Amino acid sequence: MARPTCANIHTDALRHNLAQARALAPHSRVMAVVKADGYGHGLERVARALEGADAFGVAALSDADRLRSAGLSQPIVLLSGFDEADDLPQLRRLGVETVVHHISQIEMLEQAAPGDPIRCWLKVDSGMHRLGFAPEQVRQAYARLSEAASVADGIVLMNHFASSDEFDGNSPGSRQTREQLAAFAAATEGLRGVRSLSNSAAVLGWPDAHADWIRPGGLLYGISAVEGRTGADFGLRPAMTLSTRLIAVNRVRKGERIGYAATWEAPQDMLIGVAAIGYGDGYPRAAPSGTPVRVAGHDTQVIGRVSMDLMTIDLRGLPAAKVGDPVELWGPELPVERIAEISGTIGYELTCSITRRVRFVES
């Protein structure tokens, strides 16, 4: 019998969330970020559902190759840029645009063999301090790219925010975003080219940063990047339901301990359920006792330590629970953000962590 663990991908939710992004930024084009295998939802599946996007953003050339092999013709942008000169023929073959964030990339473009010009997105480090040219380096980098024969006309100027998930007041993150906006504006003043600034959080909370292109990622999958709020709070729909089934219902006595390391003690004689899911499927081992789950549509909780293949569930108050009952780990009725917060992480990590043994279906 096949393992009952299943990730149901709601393609209608993906399309709804894309429409929400367009409604939030009606004057901007949309790059749908589909890196990390579509945030764990399946690259080709997601891209086909989001064919209405103006471009796709990926982190690896192999992902661009997969999209082209799947018949997707939209522009594709390599968000972390190319790594070596041997990548340039592949960029040209696939018709992929690239982010340029380091002087070594400009040197490779200047020395590139003749061929079709490559469209470049020049990244400004306005305060994230990860990738990008420092503000005082931007004009020289722009000039060199403009003069390189291998670079197409129409350089895009871009930025990445560090704290755009904070927009509800005068928080340190809000101040940082305003400082980044000012730094980007100063560094690019007078330079020709369209602008791209907003990640998902900025799409939701910083309308002044929408510019010519927005780059939503987690937003498209219905996941909030804002602490304490779910995608539903912003009118988004979760694109994944992770579920399994009970494979055992057992009775334990008061005082008996459950699972590895005996971390949970039964407070009374009670039923416990055993569900066919664990960290080997991508469910977080860090989820403590008390993490919510749903059994046959009823709210209950994880008890004991999550193991590789199994978890144990509190069935007090569910006397009719039986083997085969459905168990929802996250989805429309149980936001992934809740599970992530309790587990000390973010929803993006949970959906990206689903493993190959989980069966994927579309609805």
Side-chain angles (χ1 to χ4, degrees), residues 9 39 45 52 57 63 77 83 123 238 247 288 332:
I9 306 303
Y39 284 54
R45 178 186 302 111
D63 287 344
V77 181
D83 299 322
K123 190 162 195 173
I247 60 171

Short mmCIF file of all heavy atoms in Angstrom, two decimals, residues 9 39 45 52 57 63 77 83 123 238 247 288 332:
data_model
loop_
_atom_site.label_atom_id
_atom_site.label_comp_id
_atom_site.label_asym_id
_atom_site.label_seq_id
_atom_site.Cartn_x
_atom_site.Cartn_y
_atom_site.Cartn_z
N ILE A 9 -1.75 20.31 -4.10
CA ILE A 9 -1.41 21.64 -4.59
C ILE A 9 -2.64 22.24 -5.27
O ILE A 9 -3.17 21.68 -6.22
CB ILE A 9 -0.22 21.60 -5.56
CG1 ILE A 9 0.97 20.88 -4.92
CG2 ILE A 9 0.15 23.02 -5.99
CD1 ILE A 9 1.44 21.46 -3.61
N TYR A 39 8.99 26.89 -4.34
CA TYR A 39 8.80 26.90 -2.88
C TYR A 39 8.27 25.56 -2.38
O TYR A 39 7.46 25.49 -1.45
CB TYR A 39 7.88 28.04 -2.47
CG TYR A 39 8.52 29.40 -2.49
CD1 TYR A 39 9.16 29.89 -3.62
CD2 TYR A 39 8.49 30.23 -1.37
CE1 TYR A 39 9.75 31.14 -3.65
CE2 TYR A 39 9.07 31.48 -1.39
CZ TYR A 39 9.71 31.93 -2.53
OH TYR A 39 10.30 33.17 -2.54
N ARG A 45 4.66 22.55 -12.30
CA ARG A 45 3.25 22.67 -11.90
C ARG A 45 2.91 24.13 -11.58
O ARG A 45 1.90 24.67 -12.02
CB ARG A 45 3.00 21.77 -10.69
CG ARG A 45 1.60 21.82 -10.14
CD ARG A 45 1.51 21.00 -8.85
NE ARG A 45 1.88 19.61 -9.06
CZ ARG A 45 2.97 19.05 -8.57
NH1 ARG A 45 3.80 19.75 -7.82
NH2 ARG A 45 3.24 17.78 -8.81
N GLY A 52 0.21 33.43 -16.41
CA GLY A 52 -0.17 34.82 -16.59
C GLY A 52 0.85 35.81 -16.07
O GLY A 52 0.70 37.03 -16.26
N GLY A 57 11.23 34.09 -11.92
CA GLY A 57 12.51 34.23 -11.27
C GLY A 57 12.96 32.90 -10.72
O GLY A 57 12.19 32.21 -10.02
N ASP A 63 16.97 25.18 -13.29
CA ASP A 63 15.54 25.47 -13.21
C ASP A 63 15.06 26.15 -14.48
O ASP A 63 13.95 25.88 -14.97
CB ASP A 63 15.23 26.34 -12.00
CG ASP A 63 15.33 25.59 -10.70
OD1 ASP A 63 15.34 24.35 -10.72
OD2 ASP A 63 15.39 26.24 -9.64
N VAL A 77 14.50 35.12 -15.24
CA VAL A 77 15.60 35.88 -14.65
C VAL A 77 16.33 35.01 -13.64
O VAL A 77 15.70 34.43 -12.74
CB VAL A 77 15.09 37.16 -13.97
CG1 VAL A 77 16.26 37.96 -13.39
CG2 VAL A 77 14.30 38.03 -14.97
N ASP A 83 27.69 32.22 -12.42
CA ASP A 83 28.87 32.01 -11.58
C ASP A 83 30.18 32.02 -12.36
O ASP A 83 31.23 32.34 -11.80
CB ASP A 83 28.76 30.68 -10.83
CG ASP A 83 27.56 30.65 -9.90
OD1 ASP A 83 27.27 31.68 -9.29
OD2 ASP A 83 26.93 29.58 -9.81
N LYS A 123 22.12 44.83 -9.64
CA LYS A 123 21.65 44.79 -8.26
C LYS A 123 22.42 45.80 -7.40
O LYS A 123 23.66 45.79 -7.36
CB LYS A 123 21.81 43.38 -7.68
CG LYS A 123 21.13 43.20 -6.33
CD LYS A 123 20.92 41.74 -6.01
CE LYS A 123 19.95 41.56 -4.87
NZ LYS A 123 19.60 40.15 -4.65
N PRO A 238 -3.90 29.56 0.71
CA PRO A 238 -2.78 28.61 0.74
C PRO A 238 -2.82 27.69 -0.47
O PRO A 238 -3.87 27.16 -0.83
CB PRO A 238 -2.99 27.85 2.05
CG PRO A 238 -4.43 28.03 2.38
CD PRO A 238 -4.83 29.36 1.84
N ILE A 247 -2.88 5.59 11.15
CA ILE A 247 -2.63 4.18 10.85
C ILE A 247 -2.77 3.32 12.11
O ILE A 247 -2.68 2.10 12.04
CB ILE A 247 -1.26 3.97 10.21
CG1 ILE A 247 -0.13 4.43 11.13
CG2 ILE A 247 -1.19 4.69 8.87
CD1 ILE A 247 1.25 4.03 10.62
N PRO A 288 6.69 21.04 18.78
CA PRO A 288 6.57 20.48 20.12
C PRO A 288 5.19 19.90 20.38
O PRO A 288 4.24 20.10 19.59
CB PRO A 288 6.80 21.70 21.01
CG PRO A 288 6.23 22.83 20.21
CD PRO A 288 6.54 22.51 18.77
N PRO A 332 -5.82 25.02 4.20
CA PRO A 332 -6.78 26.12 4.34
C PRO A 332 -7.35 26.27 5.75
O PRO A 332 -7.64 27.39 6.18
CB PRO A 332 -7.88 25.75 3.33
CG PRO A 332 -7.19 24.92 2.31
CD PRO A 332 -6.15 24.14 3.06
#
